[in-house]
Amino acid sequence: MEYKERLKQFIQELKTGYLPSVSMDFVIFGFHEGQLKVLLLQWEGIHDWLLPGGRVRLNENLDDAAYRNLRERTGLGEVFLQQFHTFGNVIRNTYYAIEETLDRLGLSPEDLEGLPGRDVSVGYYALVEYTKVKPSPDLLTQEIRWCSIDEVPRLLFDHNEMITLALKTLRRQLSYQPIGYNLLPDKFTMPQLQQLYETILGQPLDRRNFQKRMLGYGILERLEERKAIGAHKAPYLYRFDMASYQNALAEERMFII
């Protein structure tokens, strides 16, 4: 099926099977080779990038729709997913005029007849383990790939603002909830965990103080295994004690780093 036909099919489905005026957008964070990355997609036939998004079916709860859309994008069913903001400005095109955005997407105002004039988007951010994600393009997507948080290009709509606000929210979360289970391998070293925190916070942390605090929270289990790293002393491997980790998430304890 040609792109134009797929586009018309997509718009027709929006008119008949989904909640009008409400969309959702996802800031999907992954951590790989010391970099915090975000998942971006490119619609077919355009050079611009945007965040993965989705719609809510007429008989679907909002959070259920979010998990469904995220599963379709990443192939993962169990991830950390959280609402962080609702974007409802009348004009949500930060860099391009509405007409220019439609043109970039291969649309015209006539194509959108029968749809509400504006969308309110519920923003979610997700934390996923990079190596387990299998990005999946949808009907209109030409490419989907990871991008370093420091190299995100100019995105369509207000999606750059979404990433900025999601990152601020993630940084605040470090003060009251643990981070790491959905971003690191099952087994990891203390330096790997510290590097993750430093990358998210954008600043270095004292090694001894960080290790003391993290161990004091009671959410880590030190294994007898060590990670071989050449001639250097091999550091111990750790994993999260999931019962304690989930309790810490539920209780929102103060995690002062």
Side-chain angles (χ1 to χ4, degrees), residues 29-30 37 39 54 58-59 75 108 128 130 141 194 202 207 236 245:
F29 290 117
K37 297 178 181 287
L39 200 63
L58 293 177
N59 61 345
S108 67
V128 300
Y130 180 92
T141 302
Q194 181 172 337
R207 181 181 63 82
Y236 279 105
Y245 187 94

Side-chain angles (χ1 to χ4, degrees), residues 77-130:
E78 296 183 8
V79 297
F80 182 92
L81 182 65
Q82 184 169 302
Q83 287 187 37
F84 68 94
H85 193 71
T86 300
F87 298 84
N89 286 348
V90 175
I91 303 298
R92 292 182 49 217
N93 296 67
T94 303
Y95 296 114
Y96 308 107
I98 295 175
E99 294 77 12
E100 187 177 1
T101 299
L102 290 177
D103 183 65
R104 286 172 176 270
L105 296 176
L107 295 170
S108 67
E110 290 72 26
D111 291 323
L112 302 184
E113 288 182 0
L115 290 176
R118 56 181 287 209
D119 268 348
V120 171
S121 179
V122 181
Y124 285 84
Y125 76 90
L127 307 179
V128 300
E129 215 276 83
Y130 180 92

Side-chain angles (χ1 to χ4, degrees), residues 67-80:
Y67 279 104
R68 172 182 58 78
N69 281 286
L70 189 64
R71 185 169 56 251
E72 292 170 356
R73 287 281 184 236
T74 67
L76 295 177
E78 296 183 8
V79 297
F80 182 92

